[in-house]
Amino acid sequence: MIKLKDVQKYFYKGEEREVHALKNINLEIEKGEFSVLTGASGCGKTTLLNAIGVLDQISSGSIELEGKEIAHLNSDEKTKIRLNDMGFVFQAYNLVPVLNVRDNIAFIMRLQGYSEDRIKTRVLEIAQLLEIDNKLDSLPSLLSGGQQQRVAVARAVASKPKIILADEPTANLDSKNSQSLMDMMKELNEKEGVTILFASHDEYVVKSVNRIIKLDDGALV
Amino acid sequence: MFKLAIKNIFYYKGRSITTFLLTFFSATLFIIFVSFMHGSHKTMLHNALKVYTGTIQIYQKDYRDEGGYDYLIFDNQKVFNSLEKIKGIKSYTSRVETFGIASSKNNSSAIMLTGVDFKKEAKISELKNALKTGKYNTKSNCLYMGEDLAKKLNISLDHELSFVGSAIDYSFAADIFKLCGTFKTGMYEFDNSSAFLNREYFDGLFYSQNASSYIVINVNDLDKNNYIASQISKSIGKDLKVYTWQDLMKSMVELVKVDSIFGYISMALFFMVIFFVILIYGFINISSRVKEFGVLKSIGLRDIDIDKILIYEILILTLSAIVIAICLGGSIAYYFEINPIVIEGISDMYKDYGIISDTVPTDFDIFTIFWNVSLIFSLNILSLIYPIYYVRTFTPVEAMRHV
Ligand SMILES: Nc1ncnc2c1ncn2[C@@H]1O[C@H](COP(=O)(O)OP(=O)(O)O)[C@@H](O)[C@H]1O
Ligand SMILES: [Mg+2]
């Protein structure tokens, strides 16, 4: 479903402090996969995930989503792809602070123009699965870290994107919360068939996934 | 987006309250300030017109340029007949001016002697109210003169003085007069060199029956003054020329303009300060939210959507502040238009400008209020340009890394 060809990424290209963050990456992610990008801190996991999520410009190479080149689109087209085809979960939860849980989960669906009826059922369905259905009216700041991260996951999956990109989703969680988040995401993957790609070196993540992609100093191993 | 903007407003209370209050207070203050400024200018002009000038004057075409008896109006009655037919005129009268030397036992002075119809004059000017000693409505050879002039000539009531001048046929005219009343208008030229004589006696001495230097008119509604002036102009024939108070009081009109400009400049400076405070508060708030905007961008909001959120926020804050300010400032301005403030002594302070009452009304004017607040409104919108630009410079990744 996603195909990376010869992807290179430099930061500060041509300057003395140049970083060659991604080195000739060739990678394919299949539909329905539940996999993790792993490797030491600073090896390029986030950079690769951002490249796939068209959040950041790559220096050369190509990225295809279902056969369509997406790495070199203009910024509005990229925004559209992120909105419609991708779901993001970040280390720092990154919920919209002024919106309650319900509106946070519904946020992307609203942007996509779903009917309020559909939004309502879908929000409830996903909130039950992630066990946050009793918090729907709270503001994010009143929730624990584990709960906030589940809201972030709910927001990402609610609109049924083609792939979910999760960057260190468990890094701020204790082991119990990490384990239950992974269990729920696994359940989502199995029940809804959603493709999920993690970037993490957390053992809870690594042992839960079906495929491990190892990165070392910007290159696949 | 709109809903999100509203939620942001309630969430970021500090910034919202500051922006709201500053906008509200500056708009209210501005409305009140400008109303008072316009009000006092209007009063100043009105008073000045009331003292002596009237709102319209009619002259023989060249009198104001050439002067002299050759350019008098020689048929008052004909002009009066025309004036009777025009609506909106409150009162009118004619005046004949002549210049000559007045001498008392001790002193002499060049004076302007004006023949007036004291009864009609009372409806046009403040001469009657400016009475200091003696009588206003003097008969036969009784003079009514400026207090300062009387001092200069060193005479008091009932003393005699002589006047030498020329009649309007240029024959020699001289007579002995008695001082029967003095006035003080506050206008120096006037108090220092003017004397008035009733028309009948004046005409007998100077042969000026049915003639006049000019005719003075007051209208009911000053806003219609120019229209009435043009009506008069049409009906009185080509030889005569109509002047409105704007023509007659050029220097005062200029003075008011200059004063308004200074008023606006000081307000503008004040606004600059307000503007920068709003700008800085807005900017601090927005830069603290860069990360939030980065998240929104990464999950699918376009730059334009972010702009919209920011614009909605300021629109809601500014509009609500301004609407309340219009209501409050407007009603204060309106209240003081109906119930003018009385400041004791202001008439003394401004007597040179002919202010003759202690009241200072505001001038409630929807149009002025409207453009004043649009100015504040635009400034507020303007304060967003930089923050919007600033937020746009971040890519989603940079924005999310921003602390
Ligand atoms: N925005 C950036 N500017 C400059 N260098 C960066 C930036 N992002 C990442 N890097 C560098 O790229 C390399 C890979 O970083 P990253 O992808 O964040 O690693 P990981 O997520 O595996 O910890 C690191 O050397 C890091 O310093
Ligand atoms: Mg990382």
Side-chain angles (χ1 to χ4, degrees):
Chain A
M1 184 177 66
I2 289 187
K3 209 172 184 176
L4 282 76
K5 265 192 232 155
D6 304 326
V7 170
Q8 309 260 15
K9 171 75 183 177
Y10 295 89
F11 290 105
Y12 312 116
K13 176 139 187 149
E15 293 175 40
E16 208 167 307
R17 52 180 179 160
E18 178 181 296
V19 181
H20 195 177
L22 296 177
K23 295 169 184 164
N24 220 35
I25 306 281
N26 286 287
L27 177 67
E28 218 165 316
I29 310 279
E30 295 300 333
K31 194 169 165 53
E33 235 179 58
F34 193 61
S35 42
V36 67
L37 288 165
T38 191
S41 186
C43 70
K45 303 182 292 294
T46 298
T47 310
L48 184 54
L49 213 61
N50 287 346
I52 296 173
V54 289
L55 278 168
D56 212 355
Q57 194 74 35
I58 54 172
S59 308
S60 67
S62 74
I63 302 172
E64 283 176 14
L65 173 67
E66 295 182 329
K68 188 175 165 253
E69 157 62 36
I70 56 170
H72 302 289
L73 300 170
N74 71 31
S75 100
D76 273 358
E77 288 166 331
K78 281 182 178 170
T79 305
K80 215 165 156 189
I81 297 224
R82 286 202 298 272
L83 176 63
N84 294 319
D85 301 333
M86 316 248 175
F88 292 89
V89 179
F90 306 97
Q91 175 179 337
Y93 324 137
N94 289 347
L95 300 171
V96 183
V98 303
L99 298 179
N100 64 21
V101 169
R102 185 192 309 278
D103 289 334
N104 260 292
I105 300 177
F107 194 82
I108 293 172
M109 284 189 280
R110 290 228 165 86
L111 286 178
Q112 292 179 351
Y114 278 68
S115 75
E116 284 301 314
D117 267 1
R118 271 193 70 189
I119 292 176
K120 208 174 155 195
T121 21
R122 178 67 178 156
V123 167
L124 204 63
E125 176 187 20
I126 212 79
Q128 277 165 352
L129 210 150
L130 289 159
E131 295 169 15
I132 43 175
D133 48 322
N134 57 340
K135 298 284 181 195
L136 285 177
D137 294 314
S138 314
L139 285 180
S141 52
L142 301 173
L143 270 50
S144 73
Q147 289 167 330
Q148 287 193 49
Q149 196 59 301
R150 277 181 273 151
V151 176
V153 172
R155 177 178 67 184
V157 295
S159 63
K160 301 199 171 164
K162 291 182 177 139
I163 184 168
I164 291 187
L165 303 167
D167 192 1
E168 316 260 10
T170 58
N172 290 349
L173 303 182
D174 59 23
S175 55
K176 196 172 138 258
N177 273 309
S178 299
Q179 188 59 57
S180 74
L181 184 80
M182 286 313 293
D183 291 346
M184 287 174 192
M185 291 190 77
K186 178 117 195 162
E187 198 181 338
L188 272 171
N189 168 253
E190 282 161 3
K191 265 197 183 154
E192 305 213 337
V194 54
T195 314
I196 302 179
L197 176 62
F198 293 94
S200 177
H201 51 249
D202 182 356
E203 54 168 317
Y204 292 101
V205 179
V206 176
K207 72 180 187 205
S208 307
V209 295
N210 302 332
R211 177 183 173 197
I212 296 168
I213 305 159
K214 264 192 92 66
L215 265 174
D216 185 26
D217 196 19
L220 289 178
V221 286
Chain B
M1 296 306 121
F2 191 71
K3 216 174 129 192
L4 193 57
I6 295 204
K7 298 222 159 143
N8 283 333
I9 287 174
F10 284 104
Y11 192 81
Y12 298 104
K13 286 195 185 70
R15 182 254 182 152
S16 302
I17 291 173
T18 320
T19 307
F20 178 86
L21 286 184
L22 280 178
T23 309
F24 169 69
F25 280 123
S26 55
T28 311
L29 208 80
F30 198 27
I31 290 172
I32 295 173
F33 175 83
V34 170
S35 303
F36 266 107
M37 188 168 82
H38 283 184
S40 62
H41 288 162
K42 217 170 174 176
T43 318
M44 198 163 107
L45 284 168
H46 281 201
N47 285 343
L49 301 180
K50 257 199 263 163
V51 172
Y52 191 65
T53 314
T55 64
I56 297 172
Q57 294 183 1
I58 303 173
Y59 289 84
Q60 181 73 25
K61 214 168 62 214
D62 295 315
Y63 183 82
R64 283 180 70 87
D65 300 325
E66 309 282 338
Y69 291 144
D70 294 344
Y71 303 101
L72 295 181
I73 299 169
F74 287 106
D75 193 350
N76 285 345
Q77 199 51 52
K78 195 173 142 203
V79 180
F80 291 166
N81 291 342
S82 306
L83 294 182
E84 284 299 333
K85 287 182 202 123
I86 292 167
K87 285 201 189 83
I89 293 178
K90 192 162 130 201
S91 52
Y92 58 84
T93 187
S94 68
R95 293 174 186 155
V96 204
E97 292 174 348
T98 183
F99 299 86
I101 306 289
S103 312
S104 67
K105 250 193 273 163
N106 313 307
N107 273 320
S108 294
S109 176
I111 69 164
M112 180 173 86
L113 182 63
T114 306
V116 294
D117 180 330
F118 278 112
K119 257 191 208 130
K120 282 184 170 180
E121 193 63 44
K123 288 184 204 153
I124 287 267
S125 67
E126 290 290 330
L127 271 187
K128 184 176 181 185
N129 301 334
L131 175 75
K132 277 277 177 175
T133 56
K135 279 192 311 180
Y136 160 72
N137 192 354
T138 58
K139 297 217 172 56
S140 64
N141 67 339
C142 261
L143 275 184
Y144 182 52
M145 69 165 60
E147 195 180 58
D148 298 339
L149 177 60
K151 262 185 212 146
K152 207 159 71 176
L153 290 171
N154 199 6
I155 56 171
S156 43
L157 284 187
D158 295 329
H159 283 188
E160 288 188 336
L161 72 157
S162 64
F163 176 85
V164 182
S166 77
I168 67 172
D169 61 358
Y170 293 107
S171 65
F172 180 75
D175 205 346
I176 303 286
F177 295 100
K178 209 166 87 182
L179 180 62
C180 296
T182 60
F183 61 80
K184 185 170 177 67
T185 60
M187 288 184 284
Y188 177 78
E189 297 261 321
F190 223 66
D191 296 344
N192 194 48
S193 57
S194 275
F196 294 90
L197 187 61
N198 67 79
R199 227 11 229 275
E200 298 82 51
Y201 197 86
F202 190 100
D203 290 347
L205 184 60
F206 296 96
Y207 308 124
S208 55
Q209 288 86 352
N210 202 29
S212 60
S213 301
Y214 60 96
I215 290 166
V216 202
I217 296 162
N218 264 351
V219 297
N220 288 321
D221 181 356
L222 201 56
D223 293 333
K224 297 204 180 98
N225 197 54
N226 286 346
Y227 173 73
I228 293 171
S230 70
Q231 294 288 99
I232 295 172
S233 198
K234 272 183 222 151
S235 71
I236 54 172
K238 284 206 181 70
D239 290 349
L240 301 179
K241 196 162 169 199
V242 175
Y243 293 83
T244 62
W245 61 269
Q246 287 98 331
D247 306 322
L248 299 164
M249 308 278 281
K250 273 212 175 85
S251 64
M252 181 171 279
V253 172
E254 293 293 312
L255 189 85
V256 162
K257 254 189 213 153
V258 171
D259 196 63
S260 302
I261 290 170
F262 274 110
Y264 281 121
I265 288 177
S266 40
M267 268 283 129
L269 290 177
F270 170 72
F271 279 138
M272 276 306 173
V273 176
I274 300 281
F275 170 73
F276 277 109
V277 175
I278 289 178
L279 181 89
I280 288 163
Y281 261 86
F283 187 70
I284 290 174
N285 170 262
I286 288 165
S287 45
S288 75
R289 290 158 66 190
V290 164
K291 188 168 168 184
E292 186 190 325
F293 294 133
V295 174
L296 292 175
K297 275 196 211 180
S298 60
I299 63 176
L301 249 60
R302 290 163 302 160
D303 279 338
I304 184 99
D305 298 319
I306 311 264
D307 301 346
K308 268 193 210 159
I309 294 175
L310 295 176
I311 291 171
Y312 284 144
E313 283 173 24
I314 202 92
L315 274 182
I316 295 166
L317 286 172
T318 315
L319 280 179
S320 57
I322 279 179
V323 166
I324 301 179
I326 289 180
C327 296
L328 183 70
S331 39
I332 290 176
Y334 186 68
Y335 175 83
F336 284 118
E337 176 168 353
I338 310 229
N339 311 289
I341 293 180
V342 176
I343 306 174
E344 296 291 343
I346 197 163
S347 56
D348 280 344
M349 232 160 81
Y350 290 109
K351 69 181 174 200
D352 285 352
Y353 302 130
I355 299 244
I356 42 168
S357 79
D358 283 335
T359 59
V360 182
T362 53
D363 183 23
F364 177 81
D365 176 5
I366 300 281
F367 176 75
T368 314
I369 291 178
F370 176 76
W371 81 253
N372 286 340
V373 297
S374 343
L375 188 79
I376 298 176
F377 181 73
S378 332
L379 276 181
N380 269 318
I381 301 295
L382 218 69
S383 75
L384 254 195
I385 291 179
Y386 182 65
I388 281 183
Y389 165 79
Y390 178 76
V391 169
R392 271 182 177 255
T393 56
F394 290 96
T395 68
V397 178
E398 284 168 351
M400 279 195 295
R401 289 164 67 106
H402 188 87
V403 268

